[in-house]
Amino acid sequence: MAALKKRYYQKIDEEVYSAILDNGMSLSIIKKKGFLEKAAFLSTNFGALDNHFYIDGELQSYPAGIAHFLEHKLFEDEQGRDVTLDFVKLGADVNAFTTLDKTTYYFSTLDHFEESLELLLKFTSKFTSSEDAVNHEKRIIEQEINMYQDDPDYRVYLGCLQSLYPNTILGQDIAGSVDSIEKITVKDLKDNFDCFYKPANCHLVLVGDFDVEDIYTFVNEKQSKFTLPERIVEKEKNPIESDIQKLDSLQMEIFISKLAIGFKSVPFTDNRMRENILVQLLFNLLFGWTSPYYQNWYAEGKIDESVSIEYEVSNRYSFVIMTMDTAEPIRMSSLIRQVMTSADKKRLLTDEALDLQKKALYGEFLRSLDNIQNLGSQYLAYFENEKTYFDFGQELMSITSKDLKDFLNHYLSNIEITDFVVFPK
């Protein structure tokens, strides 16, 4: 059993222990002294974008939504029972989510942590199902997909994403479509499970006040039972590229129009954490609630508190989607474009304004460290090479106004913009 490696972050008084288990799984233990709640997150490097990949150099293609479908099916045991019931008996809350690049299963509890952890490791270690069970699940996921079709906030966001990346997997719902999930078979699910749920492709994160050595020994002993045959699997690495659609819209039974404006660019740096922070700082300075533009538009009644800015940055894509309720969607789109391309950046991107934004983001970062479930999710999201979420604050405070202006110049040189509007009928 390999020795645990400890990292202590003195400025924020956080410590994390890490190791590679005997079966190849990555383990991180975040010790939170004095906390009663404990949580575990098991994440596999397999998400919605991974329906095309290579096995021993040969391309494999599967229907969109297969990662999300597999997430659903793993909650069923050999008898078709929902394993959630076993967690409930132990007093634990369990759930899962699929993102563009990961599938994560997690639970939190005040008691019976080791029993709950053993359950988590067990039900994510094997896949058993039948065609009847898979067909039944298709009907459930179809209902989920159809339900979202009646949600205008969902429709405006996905519509904008589809305009940014038309005819690509990135432009599709994480759950896939009714047509795509209908094509998924038991064999498809088993093949993807065998490829991506092997321990070496998984990361287990434990958060709480543990006896670190004891919990490490427990995990290593339990997890050593679960191994899968190794296959050389390579995920797609090329950037996702597609010519954007300039403008699209639909009508729904709503009272006020919903606007989504999407910005697509190309990565600025290999440091994903730094680029994510730069994107947040730039858009907060230009369009956040403290910006003069936001304040003026709000005072004039053009926007309200519904304004939201979502960021996604990776080595394969980089996009931002702003959404809002507005009675003037065409006018607001024009104003936002004007700010992005011709605003007085010297007035907006001052040292003083940047310092205020950095302090605000740093405060959010510190608050997140006391929320166990949020901390586990963020730790997984930012885990890359030797960096962890605990490096976020230091990375943030190292950014200068010159760094931000250099990033802005890159962004404006590569940016593509599109709109999607949901109008009232």
Side-chain angles (χ1 to χ4, degrees):
M1 189 167 74
L4 283 166
K5 176 183 176 183
K6 177 182 177 180
R7 288 185 67 181
Y8 178 62
Y9 298 83
Q10 185 174 9
K11 191 168 185 179
I12 54 176
D13 190 27
E14 296 286 351
E15 58 188 82
V16 58
Y17 299 79
S18 59
I20 303 297
L21 301 181
D22 293 344
N23 63 1
M25 179 180 286
S26 297
L27 171 68
S28 297
I29 304 171
I30 301 171
K31 187 171 177 62
K32 300 294 290 183
K33 296 177 183 177
F35 277 61
L36 298 178
E37 184 184 14
K38 297 182 176 73
F41 302 77
L42 181 67
S43 186
T44 178
N45 187 28
F46 175 50
L49 300 185
D50 300 318
N51 67 324
H52 298 292
F53 55 92
Y54 298 86
I55 297 179
D56 297 329
E58 185 175 338
L59 178 64
Q60 311 292 314
S61 295
Y62 292 92
I66 193 163
H68 174 262
F69 202 118
L70 191 52
E71 173 214 310
H72 273 233
K73 289 306 298 174
L74 284 192
F75 276 93
E76 239 177 54
D77 66 14
E78 296 93 329
Q79 288 77 42
R81 289 177 61 258
D82 186 348
V83 299
T84 302
L85 299 174
D86 296 324
F87 284 92
V88 171
K89 290 176 183 177
L90 293 170
D93 293 323
V94 65
N95 213 327
F97 58 88
T98 303
T99 63
L100 296 174
D101 59 352
K102 289 180 175 63
T103 306
T104 303
Y105 305 82
Y106 64 97
F107 74 85
S108 62
T109 187
L110 296 175
D111 296 300
H112 306 293
F113 179 81
E114 291 187 354
E115 296 98 316
S116 299
L117 179 56
E118 187 169 5
L119 270 177
L120 177 70
L121 295 174
K122 182 179 179 181
F123 90 81
T124 55
S125 69
K126 57 185 174 181
F127 171 80
T128 56
S129 193
S130 65
E131 288 292 353
D132 286 344
V134 168
N135 287 333
H136 175 70
E137 194 65 39
K138 288 178 182 179
R139 306 290 82 81
I140 295 173
I141 297 177
E142 281 177 11
Q143 291 176 3
E144 180 182 330
I145 292 171
N146 290 329
M147 178 183 67
Y148 281 114
Q149 299 309 304
D150 295 326
D151 182 344
D153 292 313
Y154 165 85
R155 295 293 297 277
V156 75
Y157 180 90
L158 185 62
C160 187
L161 187 57
Q162 289 172 336
S163 293
L164 285 173
Y165 296 93
N167 304 313
T168 70
I169 186 64
L170 186 52
Q172 297 195 44
D173 189 291
I174 284 174
S177 65
V178 171
D179 290 339
S180 70
I181 64 168
E182 195 61 43
K183 300 172 185 174
I184 293 174
T185 66
V186 172
K187 183 178 184 304
D188 292 339
L189 295 167
K190 182 67 165 63
D191 288 346
N192 279 260
F193 179 85
D194 289 346
C195 287
F196 291 107
Y197 280 74
K198 55 189 178 183
N201 197 49
C202 296
H203 188 178
L204 178 63
V205 177
L206 309 179
V207 189
D209 192 358
F210 302 107
D211 182 307
V212 174
E213 290 293 340
D214 285 352
I215 198 67
Y216 176 39
T217 301
F218 175 84
V219 170
N220 211 45
E221 289 176 351
K222 297 298 179 183
Q223 197 50 18
S224 65
K225 301 174 184 177
F226 307 131
T227 58
L228 287 169
E230 290 294 322
R231 307 170 77 182
I232 301 176
V233 179
E234 293 180 84
K235 295 176 62 170
E236 183 63 69
K237 297 178 182 177
N238 293 327
I240 298 175
E241 297 176 341
S242 181
D243 293 334
I244 68 169
Q245 293 177 206
K246 293 294 184 181
L247 178 64
D248 205 351
S249 66
L250 58 83
Q251 291 182 313
M252 295 182 70
E253 296 288 351
I254 55 176
F255 293 107
I256 188 170
S257 296
K258 292 182 179 291
L259 167 67
I261 182 163
F263 306 86
K264 180 169 71 172
S265 188
V266 296
F268 175 64
T269 171
D270 291 335
N271 184 336
R272 190 163 59 92
M273 178 184 289
R274 191 173 187 82
E275 177 141 1
N276 195 300
I277 294 170
L278 285 165
V279 169
Q280 290 187 59
L281 288 172
L282 176 62
F283 277 83
N284 285 354
L285 283 164
L286 294 181
F287 303 114
W289 68 272
T290 59
S291 82
Y293 295 106
Y294 182 104
Q295 294 295 323
N296 289 339
W297 296 334
Y298 187 88
E300 294 168 359
K302 290 183 169 65
I303 60 173
D304 58 21
E305 295 89 346
S306 64
V307 175
S308 175
I309 307 175
E310 301 288 335
Y311 320 86
E312 288 284 354
V313 175
S314 86
N315 59 347
R316 298 189 64 197
Y317 52 84
S318 176
F319 67 87
V320 177
I321 295 180
M322 290 182 61
T323 58
M324 65 196 70
D325 295 348
T326 176
E328 305 176 60
I330 306 304
R331 176 62 175 153
M332 280 308 306
S333 172
S334 175
L335 289 172
I336 290 168
R337 288 169 183 265
Q338 288 175 29
V339 171
M340 198 69 213
T341 57
S342 59
D344 183 358
K345 309 301 190 304
K346 289 182 180 179
R347 183 170 66 90
L348 291 172
L349 307 185
T350 63
D351 288 341
E352 181 182 8
L354 175 59
D355 188 53
L356 286 173
Q357 283 298 327
K358 285 164 62 175
K359 287 178 178 177
L361 270 183
Y362 195 84
E364 291 177 16
F365 163 67
L366 290 180
R367 285 191 293 274
S368 74
L369 301 180
D370 288 333
N371 183 319
I372 278 185
Q373 293 196 33
N374 184 60
L375 175 56
S377 298
Q378 294 287 10
Y379 189 85
L380 284 165
Y382 282 101
F383 190 85
E384 189 174 35
N385 300 324
E386 291 299 310
K387 283 189 179 295
T388 76
Y389 183 55
F390 294 128
D391 294 303
F392 184 95
Q394 183 176 346
E395 192 76 53
L396 166 66
M397 300 311 289
S398 73
I399 290 174
T400 65
S401 58
K402 181 182 183 305
D403 294 331
L404 190 59
K405 288 169 184 175
D406 287 345
F407 174 69
L408 174 62
N409 291 334
H410 162 86
Y411 206 80
L412 293 179
S413 298
N414 294 278
I415 197 171
E416 294 182 90
I417 307 177
T418 190
D419 303 323
F420 192 92
V421 183
V422 177
F423 291 105
K425 279 188 176 180

